């Protein structure tokens, strides 16, 4: 019997996986691929487990639990920076990191469960912000080509809660992504009137708002 998926899902549902690997070291990804290959299909990748209903009968294939962490900031010139973040970093932790660093562009995504690597799949968004607004590139493993590729934002087919990753499930495993953020003492303009009213902030383009509290 393999490791129970119930131990890795927020609803605590799910029987044993045939094989489960926890991926924590980005440099070890080739080893994970070698271990997971040979079954004829791409493994199931599990992030935070907050949007997963796992069968009590378990999963007959390989499950990779994405648990890589960390984010780095690279200056782009002026007030712009690129934040490169590992796929296993919780999205809420990334938002908190950006707020602590005085970076604007993803602040309204605080409180959304799941990992950062899962965010491009359904183009996660809230209150007028979505991950595609700031995404520069995605580093992913292409199971069809059997190699790591870099996809620019324009290659990801983003739409409302949609992406190429969602329309072609199982082809790519997202390993890391880059976001272009703005150094700013205030938050991005509030696009939702009810949120602006609740915050006591101006509403609409051109009005940057008081920085929201750390999630």
């Amino acid at each position: 019997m393999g490791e129970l998926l119930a131990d890795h899902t927020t609803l605590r549902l799910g029987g044993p996986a045939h094989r489960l690997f926890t991926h924590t070291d980005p440099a070890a990804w080739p080893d994970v691929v070698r271990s997971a290959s040979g079954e004829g299909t791409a493994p199931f990748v599990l992030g935070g487990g907050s949007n997963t209903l796992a069968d009590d009968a378990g999963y007959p294939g390989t499950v990779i639990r994405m648990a890589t962490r960390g984010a780095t900031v690279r200056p782009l010139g002026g007030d712009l920076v690129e934040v490169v973040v590992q796929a296993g970093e919780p999205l809420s932790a990334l938002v908190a990191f950006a707020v602590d660093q005085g970076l604007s562009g993803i602040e309204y995504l605080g409180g959304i469960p799941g990992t950062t690597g899962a965010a491009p799949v359904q183009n996660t968004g809230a209150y007028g912000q979505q991950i595609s607004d700031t995404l520069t590139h995605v580093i992913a493993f292409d199971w069809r080509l059997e190699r790591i590729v870099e996809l620019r934002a324009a290659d990801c087919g983003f739409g409302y809660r949609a992406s190429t990753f969602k329309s072609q499930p199982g082809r790519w495993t997202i390993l890391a992504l880059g976001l272009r953020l703005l150094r700013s003492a205030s938050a991005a303009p509030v696009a939702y009137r009810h949120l602006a009213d609740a915050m006591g902030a101006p509403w609409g383009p051109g009005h940057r708002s008081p920085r929201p509290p750390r999630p």
Side-chain angles (χ1 to χ4, degrees):
M1 177 180 292
E3 192 168 349
L4 290 177
L5 294 174
D7 293 335
H8 305 289
T9 60
T10 58
L11 293 177
R12 296 294 180 258
L13 297 175
H18 175 61
R19 292 191 299 176
L20 188 147
F21 301 107
T22 297
H23 178 49
T24 58
D25 180 4
W29 178 251
D31 296 331
V32 174
V33 172
R34 282 191 291 270
S35 298
S37 297
E39 295 189 352
T41 59
F44 180 78
V45 178
L46 184 66
S50 59
N51 196 28
T52 304
L53 288 174
D55 196 320
D56 285 339
Y59 186 73
T62 296
V63 174
I64 298 174
R65 190 172 73 87
M66 189 62 66
T68 51
R69 301 290 297 267
T72 59
V73 178
R74 180 174 71 92
L76 294 178
D79 290 330
L80 289 174
V81 302
E82 183 178 56
V83 176
V84 177
V85 58
Q86 296 299 315
E89 185 76 16
L91 182 58
S92 59
L94 174 64
V95 174
F97 171 81
V99 170
D100 283 346
Q101 294 291 313
L103 303 176
S104 174
I106 58 171
E107 52 268 44
Y108 300 130
L109 305 186
I112 297 177
T115 58
T116 300
V121 176
Q122 65 168 2
N123 194 13
T124 293
Y127 302 117
Q129 283 184 345
Q130 51 191 3
I131 201 72
S132 61
D133 294 338
T134 56
L135 188 137
T136 57
H137 69 279
V138 169
I139 302 298
F141 186 80
D142 188 327
W143 292 94
R144 183 184 301 174
L145 300 178
E146 298 185 335
R147 61 183 175 88
I148 293 176
V149 298
E150 179 175 324
L151 301 173
R152 310 308 296 178
D155 302 323
C156 297
F158 287 124
Y160 180 74
R161 304 298 174 263
S163 72
T164 298
F165 309 110
K166 188 174 183 178
S167 63
Q168 299 185 48
R171 177 170 177 181
W172 291 281
T173 295
I174 295 175
L175 303 176
L177 53 92
L179 301 170
R180 182 181 288 110
L181 303 180
L182 175 70
R183 292 196 183 278
S184 176
S186 55
V190 179
Y192 278 51
R193 184 180 290 277
H194 72 276
L195 177 61
D197 292 343
M199 295 175 61
W203 170 73
H207 298 283
R208 298 194 72 84
S209 306
R211 184 169 295 280
R214 174 175 174 158

